Amino acid sequence: MASLFRAYGRGLGALLILIATLWILALILVPLGAMIEQSLWWKDSKGDITLQIDRLYNDMATLQLDASGESDAAKKAGLEAQIAQKQAEATALEAQETNPPKTYGLANFTRMSGLHFYIFIRTIIYALMVTALALVVCYPMAYAVALASGPRKAIVLTVALIVPYAINELLRVYAWLMILDYRGVINGILGWLGMVDLDNRGWIPFLENPSAVFLAMIYTYVLFMVFPMVNTLETLDRNQIEAARDLGASSFRIHRRVIIPHAKPGIAVGCIMTFMLSAGSYSVPAIMTRGQGGDWFSQLVYRQFFESNNWNMGSAYAVSLLVVCTAFILIMMRLFGVGLRDIAK
Amino acid sequence: MRGKDVRLDQVSIRFGDAVAVQPLNLTIEAGEFFSILGPSGCGKTTILRTVSGFIEPTIGRVLIGGEDMAGKGPNERPTALIFQNLALFPLMSVAENVAFGLEARGVAKAERLKRAQELLELVALGGYGDKKPSDLSGGQRQRVAIARALAVEPSVLLLDEPLSALDLKLRQHMRAELRAIQKRVGITFIYITHDQGEALAMSDRVAVMSRGQLEQVAAPDTLYAEPATPFVATFVGEQNVIRGTLRRISNGMASVDTPLGPVEGREVGTPAIGAPVLVMVRPERMTLGDGRDNRIPATLKARHLEGPSVNLECTAAGQTLTVTLANGPAVRELPDDLVLGFGRDDARVYAEGALANG
């Protein structure tokens, strides 16, 4: 902080610190804190509370009817006292219904149903598979882009990767939907070739297979895998590749011993990004499966918030996902032996 | 390890329309320390990469030990290349670096590490195997690169200006070291450099290149004393260049009319009578005073003390001439008006041609 003041002067230094603090507060601490807080409590609403209130009001209505037909003053007063008592009970219950008492604890996390837990684990595994597939697809691509000689080749490859990214993510996912749909491009071509019978619903149900989601996800997140790798591969001294070849190494050995070790930080960053994005992706599985394939965990989180209207449970689900993703980052960093510093590069 | 000879047979290299190397023939003897000397862009590195197999010649053949290398990649040739920036593998230890070529050949780990240790001892780095290249000094890294290249037992070691990144003292030390290593292992060294000092100090023979052409191939002494072209004459060592017109030639001696008066010198390559010529005299071959074959009155402009010698910067008829004299009492106090002299055999007369410095 002292060096910041020295470099920019007191006023500007203080301003920079203020901006950084606001940034961290507004973008990281406050939303995350709110989410974690939300996940740690629940409202103790007894399910039959509304029923009880209804029953009280019914009773009151009956008593009212009895009271209005009663001529005996003493009996009438007794009935009215009963009504007042029931009214007080109902008011108390209503207060509980609109503002039930909060209870803090970890129940939101432990209450996850077996099916939801299964989906959670499956989502993590799927996201790992997407990451691994994306790595396999992207490494040769990144290598080709990074080592392309001559500016023209690099431009062509970069444009080929970036231009698709100028198109909205949803459009790209829908495009894959159209390609893979029952009466989509692939089935259409197969039908035209006479290999499937579209009229009798003999199409190949690509979308019911999780790999349809994988495909769309890899396509959607390719760039996040490719760019970090290109960045590190571009810093590789090509003489090292030539030196390895000159010393008699095969291409496979050159990649294994020279290029991949150098690209490690980029590979780690690409894997982290792709994993985070795919584990948390809502739109891709939602659009690609349309309920035909299995749900992803992100869809469950969505339902907890907007269909079950249980924000506490939704928060707990979201926090669980966050914890696993963070653990994944740490494991990747340990596995690849890269520090935060390397990743920031 | 045994050296092999390298022969370039009518080799020419083009990149698109640009001619990097004009057709040339060159034979490098087995076990020779051979330097290719030239300014940057003269094609010397291209030749090195052609011998190592990274570039295929557009025309012509490369033969190593009599065997045609056409179609053989860098990993299939009996050569090893030391890169200008050394290109050590930064993430591997020094021993792994040295053992890499053996690893690529499938030598078992214990065996290759033992061999790496021997090579590190050869280059006096026995205790450094576990360090990373970044922990070493420039000269030590240099020796690791040499050990790594020698590990694959090449017949020809190719060196691409490997000393250029070192400071002067270390460079001079490494020259002697390289030469000693070459003598010890006895393989062919092809050394690329733009530094004439390196080339003259280390080599058995030197080839001077300019614009993709071989200017001269000779032993260092010959190269310095009898440069074949104006380019070699001015690129290797210093020269006083006097332009003039050739009047006549008799017995190999040329008489030239120059703005500084008539000059006589040994003719090189029979220029035509009446043609423009260049008279070249090395500064250390000039002396002060009368009594020599050629005599040029000049004015002393500046005196540069080099230590053992003194450079006198003089002008005659608007042209700058430099004289290098041994330092001593005789050159401490000098008059402004001097007479410069040199013998007929000290001057060489060339037909007009390209010089090394524009």
Side-chain angles (χ1 to χ4, degrees), chain A residues 237 239 242 246-247 257, chain B residues 49 75 81 85 103 105:
Chain A
D237 171 16
N239 282 349
E242 292 196 341
D246 188 57
L247 290 168
R257 294 285 277 140
Chain B
R49 293 176 67 79
N75 47 354
L81 177 57
N85 66 353
E103 182 192 325
R105 281 162 178 73

Side-chain angles (χ1 to χ4, degrees), chain A residues 252-261, chain B residues 92 96 100 103:
Chain A
F252 175 74
R253 190 178 298 276
I254 294 172
H255 279 278
R256 190 168 65 82
R257 294 285 277 140
V258 178
I259 301 170
I260 292 177
Chain B
M92 296 182 203
E96 279 182 293
F100 186 81
E103 182 192 325

Side-chain angles (χ1 to χ4, degrees), chain B residues 224 238 240 281-287 322-325:
Chain B
Y224 189 80
E238 299 297 316
N240 288 303
V281 192
R282 295 223 181 260
E284 72 271 17
R285 305 300 284 270
M286 287 205 176
T287 52
T322 308
V323 185
T324 302
L325 299 171

Side-chain angles (χ1 to χ4, degrees), chain B residues 19-297:
Chain B
V19 182
V21 176
Q22 308 272 11
L24 56 79
N25 288 307
L26 183 61
T27 302
I28 297 160
E29 306 295 342
E32 189 176 28
F33 198 125
F34 190 90
S35 292
I36 301 178
L37 174 66
S40 52
C42 72
K44 58 189 191 297
T45 299
T46 308
I47 287 186
L48 195 75
R49 293 176 67 79
T50 307
V51 174
S52 62
F54 288 108
I55 301 174
E56 284 287 327
T58 316
I59 314 169
R61 297 186 304 160
V62 176
L63 297 109
I64 299 177
E67 194 187 341
D68 193 342
M69 287 291 132
K72 290 202 172 188
N75 47 354
E76 298 164 303
R77 298 192 180 192
T79 58
L81 177 57
I82 294 182
F83 289 78
Q84 189 165 9
N85 66 353
L86 306 181
L88 295 178
F89 306 123
L91 301 171
M92 296 182 203
S93 72
V94 166
E96 279 182 293
N97 262 283
V98 176
F100 186 81
L102 300 172
E103 182 192 325
R105 281 162 178 73
V107 176
K109 186 164 189 177
E111 170 65 23
R112 65 178 189 250
L113 287 179
K114 185 170 143 270
R115 186 87 190 95
Q117 185 57 34
E118 287 168 14
L119 282 159
L120 284 172
E121 271 156 24
L122 177 81
V123 296
L125 285 173
Y128 291 82
D130 294 330
K131 292 198 189 299
K132 285 279 162 69
S134 54
D135 298 332
L136 305 186
S137 70
Q140 290 170 331
R141 279 205 285 271
Q142 197 76 54
R143 300 207 292 264
V144 175
I146 293 166
R148 185 179 71 173
L150 292 178
V152 299
E153 305 198 354
S155 304
V156 181
L157 190 65
L158 308 164
L159 303 99
D160 186 6
E161 305 205 32
L163 304 188
S164 57
L166 304 181
D167 62 52
L168 184 66
K169 264 228 138 62
L170 199 51
R171 203 151 64 213
Q172 282 168 345
H173 173 73
M174 282 307 296
R175 281 181 198 172
E177 192 130 328
L178 271 178
R179 186 67 173 143
I181 289 171
Q182 195 259 343
K183 286 258 185 272
R184 221 175 306 151
V185 297
I187 60 174
T188 313
F189 273 39
I190 303 180
Y191 190 93
I192 296 292
T193 182
H194 65 269
D195 181 332
Q196 39 147 323
E198 281 177 12
L200 296 180
M202 291 190 288
S203 318
D204 294 318
R205 282 194 305 152
V206 180
V208 180
M209 280 191 78
S210 163
R211 298 172 197 204
Q213 275 180 316
L214 278 181
E215 294 273 333
Q216 188 174 7
V217 182
D221 282 324
T222 315
L223 203 64
Y224 189 80
E226 293 158 23
T229 66
F231 179 87
V232 177
T234 47
F235 190 75
V236 180
E238 299 297 316
Q239 288 284 9
N240 288 303
V241 183
I242 306 164
R243 286 169 198 280
T245 311
L246 185 64
R247 188 148 41 90
R248 68 161 196 279
I249 297 179
S250 64
N251 288 336
M253 285 298 163
S255 303
V256 181
D257 287 323
T258 75
L260 315 181
V263 170
E264 283 200 338
R266 190 161 287 283
E267 57 100 1
V268 183
T270 51
I273 307 292
V277 290
L278 303 166
V279 182
M280 307 244 187
V281 192
R282 295 223 181 260
E284 72 271 17
R285 305 300 284 270
M286 287 205 176
T287 52
L288 295 184
D290 288 317
R292 308 292 300 270
D293 303 327
N294 296 296
R295 181 179 182 283
I296 298 174

Side-chain angles (χ1 to χ4, degrees), chain A residues 52-63:
Chain A
Q52 277 181 35
I53 294 169
D54 283 352
R55 203 175 297 140
L56 282 170
Y57 275 109
N58 276 342
D59 291 351
M60 276 190 271
T62 323
L63 289 168

